[in-house]
Amino acid sequence: MMIEGKRAVARVRLRPPPHEHCATHGRKGLLTATLLALLLSAPASAARLPADVDGARILAADSEPGNWLSHGRTYDEQRFSPLDQINHHNVDKLGLAWTYKLDIDRGVEATPIVVDGVMYTTGAASIVYALDAKDGSLLWKYDPQVPGEALSQGCCDIVNRGVAVWKGKVFVGTFDGRLVALDAASGKEVWSVDTVLDKTKSYTITGAPRIIKGKVLIGNGGAEFGVRGYLTAYDVDTGAQAWRFFTVPGDPALPAENRAMEIAQKTWHGNNWVKWGGGGTVWDSMAYDPELDQLYVGVGNGSPWNHAFRSEGKGDNLFLSSIVALDPDTGDYLWHYQTTPADKWDFTATQHIVLADLEIDGTPRKVLMQAPKNGFFYVLDRRDGKLLSAKNFVPVNWASHIDLETGRPVLTKDADYLDGSPKVVMPSFLGAHNWHPMSFHPGTGLVYIPAQETAAGLEAQKAPLFIPHKSVVNLGLEVPDLPEDPQIEASIRAAWKGRLLAWDPVKQSAAWTQEYVSAGNGGTLATAGNLVFQGTADGRAVAYSADKGEKLWEMAVNSGAMAGPVTYTVDGEQYVAFMVGWGGAFTHIAGPLSLSAQVQPEARVTVFKLGAKSTLPPPKAAPRKVPQPPELTASAAQIAQARTMYNGLCGSCHGLNAVSGGVVPDLRYLGKSKHAQFKGALAGSRANRGMPNFSSILSEAQMESIQQYVIKRTLDLRTQLEATRDQTPQRHGDNK
Ligand code: CA
């Protein structure tokens, strides 16, 4: 059954005149009389203390569009701004207003919060910055001092997706799992709690907290490292735990902790997942409907990926890959919708959740929308989680379609690597859409998705190989093989495509698209100026017309821009801010396929306004000589073995086949002096710099053979460059 095309219920003109800025575009349903009464009791905006934000103010966010008060700007997380001073007529006059260099040149994924002229944002290693939003001057900085050894215990770079603010405090989740409340005026710690349930496991926090009715909500990451996922609510004033919702069951030998776990337990088999963690981490998306008083949470993939090892190949494994609705006061389960039952492809449902009111088949609906990794765009009725429609937004091969009667995907055999043979799966584990936030424009009725086409070969392990180590991922799969041949590598890279997709959620079809040279492009921002802003993997900030997708402006920003941009005003002037800094999952996991040859890591806040003329410093230069490595002594057979070991243990940070994504050092550039320290580094000498200690799982001979593989790859690179008579290396690493 196809859903017939109808536009969004609450239409707005694309460019309302300035006096209409306060209109509650497209969120009539969220502003009931009760809520309005709450809003009217909110204090006036004059002479506020720093970060003087509460629920009433967030609910009335449309009455002060010059601020960006919470992660998705509003609780419905539409990332739509009613500002229109910058619009499709004048956006080509945007220039650089200011830029602020962040401390660590690694992946930047934060959405800044802007309140009354102050920007609160984060960089790598969970460092928080408070900046004057008008000129970028630093007001204060907070470094949570994440220990070096903790920095290696995450899958996808040491990123952070931003802070939340509430009544004079700024809240950040740190990479080592703390939730910290800071004084918004000084950046000094007010309280700090350790959210990690089990310190023997690699729990991380990369997501932005959300705050609902005086409770700070934070989940965690680490599914690939074997954790059990949960979401916790803490009191904003004291940090006292209010409630905790587990996403997967605990040990089946023990009684279920609550009703949700009773429901979930029936969908798991055996007890293997207890050892492997189960997964289901809540590492990014949340949204809130104040009228229904429902909190929506996106849940991640299972641990291990291999469903046969995780659950004897049986059962849906709730609440993996699900959208779960909870009571925000108690954390009680309300309903769920599972996007990928029995997931075995890392198809998380942690991607951005957007709430809107749409008219579907002539009926106004309160919907929840998500474009998760699995490549289907879902429209649910958010009152009860009923599936209204679903359609793939990129080519997929794991399911033919979603059955609207059952709400379940109809699987194909093409991606079933558990049937005895390896398979090429589309989308890959990086997803058709990842954490890069999408936006919804109530005027055009379109959702702007940073989509991508990727594929990956997956092969089940014959027998479970479980390595109990905090820095080792256990997937139950052979590491996806990527041939070393540079031409094959280039052809796969070319097949991984990025695309900005303007998706009509009612028609379930694309209104327009913009193609990119690479996957991994940035989140989007829609504005009432008929604009969509997006950063790109190849280092540009771009604006398109929201209705037609015409490119109207672009500017180079020195590095890949992945985060969701925001817009705000100071003294009546509109600004657009891009957090820039290449890195993240793409560079870590699929280094050779990312754009690391062209794009250097360089972390900055980069802010634009009309008529501004500031300039960025020149981008970092990449080319370096490839050094002469120590002698290659290993045989071809030893190298082949070492390659498997390298890709399994080192590849997820230093890049498959020793081709780094450019953020973590490319080991092919190690000179003789660094090679002298190679085994020491594997044995923990650089643990305080984020290099794991592998001495408990690697023998000295194994360390030596991994080193031999790196030497061999350096020689490969030298040969390759000599063949092209070009001593300019293709990639960049840090071997100072
Ligand atoms: Ca995952």
Side-chain angles (χ1 to χ4, degrees), residues 223-224 283 301 305 346 348 373:
E224 279 69 29
W283 54 262
N301 60 280
W305 289 5
D346 189 18
T348 63
K373 273 189 184 178

Side-chain angles (χ1 to χ4, degrees), residues 332-404:
D332 287 342
Y333 164 89
L334 299 174
W335 58 257
H336 77 275
Y337 176 80
Q338 191 173 40
T339 58
T340 313
D343 167 53
K344 56 189 172 224
W345 303 283
D346 189 18
F347 285 164
T348 63
T350 47
Q351 282 57 49
H352 184 193
I353 291 170
V354 173
L355 312 182
D357 294 351
L358 300 180
E359 186 176 309
I360 297 175
D361 285 343
T363 310
R365 294 278 200 172
K366 292 179 179 304
V367 307
L368 178 156
M369 299 181 280
Q370 193 190 48
K373 273 189 184 178
N374 75 17
F376 285 88
F377 188 94
Y378 294 86
V379 180
L380 308 181
D381 186 324
R382 70 173 177 271
R383 292 171 308 176
D384 54 11
K386 184 184 174 345
L387 178 66
L388 298 176
S389 68
K391 182 84 187 290
N392 61 307
F393 58 93
V394 296
V396 303
N397 75 347
W398 67 279
S400 62
H401 63 286
I402 310 297
D403 183 323
L404 291 182

Side-chain angles (χ1 to χ4, degrees), residues 339-667:
T339 58
T340 313
D343 167 53
K344 56 189 172 224
W345 303 283
D346 189 18
F347 285 164
T348 63
T350 47
Q351 282 57 49
H352 184 193
I353 291 170
V354 173
L355 312 182
D357 294 351
L358 300 180
E359 186 176 309
I360 297 175
D361 285 343
T363 310
R365 294 278 200 172
K366 292 179 179 304
V367 307
L368 178 156
M369 299 181 280
Q370 193 190 48
K373 273 189 184 178
N374 75 17
F376 285 88
F377 188 94
Y378 294 86
V379 180
L380 308 181
D381 186 324
R382 70 173 177 271
R383 292 171 308 176
D384 54 11
K386 184 184 174 345
L387 178 66
L388 298 176
S389 68
K391 182 84 187 290
N392 61 307
F393 58 93
V394 296
V396 303
N397 75 347
W398 67 279
S400 62
H401 63 286
I402 310 297
D403 183 323
L404 291 182
E405 292 304 314
T406 63
R408 297 175 68 90
V410 178
L411 302 183
T412 69
K413 280 280 158 203
D414 299 346
D416 184 8
Y417 62 82
L418 289 177
D419 77 352
S421 60
K423 294 290 181 335
V424 173
V425 183
M426 290 193 311
S428 77
F429 43 82
L430 284 176
H433 168 224
N434 209 312
W435 61 268
H436 316 71
M438 60 189 194
S439 56
F440 172 72
H441 193 308
T444 63
L446 301 175
V447 179
Y448 303 94
I449 313 169
Q452 56 195 20
E453 280 183 35
T454 66
L458 296 183
E459 180 177 2
Q461 282 170 354
K462 302 282 179 283
L465 173 65
F466 179 75
I467 302 173
H469 187 287
K470 276 184 96 169
S471 299
V472 175
V473 299
N474 286 294
L475 307 179
L477 302 180
E478 299 304 331
V479 174
D481 193 37
L482 180 69
E484 288 175 350
D485 183 322
Q487 280 182 339
I488 297 176
E489 187 190 285
S491 70
I492 296 176
R493 186 161 52 240
W496 282 36
K497 295 176 188 139
R499 178 172 305 141
L500 172 56
L501 201 48
W503 191 258
D504 185 325
V506 177
K507 290 181 183 166
Q508 285 281 17
S509 63
W512 55 261
T513 62
Q514 282 280 353
E515 302 293 324
Y516 293 124
V517 296
S518 164
N521 298 288
T524 67
L525 160 71
T527 77
N530 187 26
L531 293 172
V532 177
F533 290 93
Q534 186 183 23
T536 66
D538 60 353
R540 293 172 294 141
V542 192
Y544 305 95
S545 62
D547 54 353
K548 298 197 178 99
E550 293 161 332
K551 188 165 85 177
L552 302 176
W553 169 82
E554 74 171 19
M555 195 164 279
V557 290
N558 279 8
S559 187
M562 306 187 291
V566 302
T567 186
Y568 59 90
T569 59
V570 184
D571 297 338
E573 209 170 9
Q574 187 182 353
Y575 296 77
V576 182
F578 287 77
M579 297 294 295
V580 175
W582 190 231
F586 192 17
T587 61
H588 265 53
I589 300 169
L593 303 179
S594 82
L595 275 182
S596 306
Q598 295 98 305
V599 179
Q600 304 309 305
E602 184 179 310
R604 292 184 172 278
V605 190
T606 308
V607 177
F608 302 92
K609 68 173 184 175
L610 294 174
K613 299 271 191 258
S614 293
T615 52
L616 281 166
K620 281 202 256 172
R624 275 186 304 116
K625 290 268 183 203
V626 188
Q628 181 67 47
E631 198 187 346
L632 180 68
T633 54
S635 69
Q638 286 167 325
I639 288 292
Q641 262 190 349
R643 175 171 179 254
T644 306
M645 220 163 12
Y646 175 94
N647 280 343
L649 290 179
C650 319
S652 63
C653 289
H654 290 281
L656 294 175
N657 301 337
V659 182
S660 158
V663 178
V664 173
D666 189 319
L667 301 176

